[in-house]
Amino acid sequence: MKGILGVSGTFAPAAVAPRPQKDMRALVRELIETVILALMIFLALQISIQNFRVEGPSMQPTLEEGQYLIANKLVYLRFNPSSLRSLLPFVDDGDDEDVFAFHPPRKGEIIIFRFPRDPSRDFVKRVIAVPGDKLEVKDNVLYVNGEMLENAPVRTSQKRNIPPEVLPGSYFVMGDNRRSSLDSRDWGSVPSELLIGRGWVIY
């Protein structure tokens, strides 16, 4: 063992010099890793969920004014097949309509979407009819695939009839409080590109 000669003449072991630079590098590396992990978690949450505050009585009694609703944005994630053809040559050259990664909105689901007449505003409603369903109005009463919707009059100044028509690639939505809800009866169906997510957690 190497050592140094003490003042008293005895042989003493050498002192180990500290290495502050090495410790500092390790600390900085751990700090960077923590920041990167936090950013990844933050981005994942931003992509997958979003919370909204309920305003108005249109979804009562399911949603009360002032409650918060967390939306699952991943469930309605869409992509265009044409964007994959350059990366995946085996993708079929079919139509260029968007495809849902999981599933499209289903009847009865509560969805959050951008208001068709003002995309800067977000609305929450329940899905009543999906693409391919047949809508019809008789004496201001709405029918979906031949079945009358209870308590769902079409509000007009004069009674009218609309012959059956198939809903295109959009969604007919209504509030649960149908007497106090402005919805697809007033401004039409919701195109798929305006979908944000499905209602998930109420708090």
Side-chain angles (χ1 to χ4, degrees), residues 130-133 135 165-171 189-190:
V130 299
D133 283 343
L135 301 181
E165 58 181 18
V166 176
L167 192 66
S170 56
Y171 299 85
S189 56
V190 179

Side-chain angles (χ1 to χ4, degrees), residues 24-42:
M24 183 61 67
R25 286 196 297 268
L27 180 61
V28 171
R29 184 176 64 251
E30 291 180 2
L31 180 60
I32 293 174
E33 291 174 352
T34 302
V35 171
I36 292 175
L37 179 60
L39 286 175
M40 292 176 62
I41 294 175
F42 174 77

Side-chain angles (χ1 to χ4, degrees), residues 147-182:
E147 297 184 6
M148 181 181 68
L149 289 183
E150 297 292 339
N151 192 24
V154 178
R155 294 180 287 267
T156 59
S157 58
Q158 296 180 346
K159 289 196 172 185
R160 62 174 182 169
N161 295 324
I162 298 178
E165 58 181 18
V166 176
L167 192 66
S170 56
Y171 299 85
F172 195 94
V173 298
M174 295 173 60
D176 287 354
N177 185 4
R178 293 177 178 175
R179 294 187 180 275
S180 301
S181 174
L182 293 175

Side-chain angles (χ1 to χ4, degrees), residues 78 112-123 187 190-196:
R78 298 177 300 118
I112 298 89
F113 56 92
R114 293 187 291 276
F115 183 37
R117 293 185 179 177
D118 183 3
S120 65
R121 301 172 63 190
D122 300 327
F123 276 23
W187 35 257
V190 179
S192 59
E193 58 266 21
L194 296 182
L195 297 173
I196 295 176

Side-chain angles (χ1 to χ4, degrees), residues 14-24:
V16 178
R19 299 180 180 179
Q21 292 183 350
K22 184 177 181 181
D23 293 341
M24 183 61 67

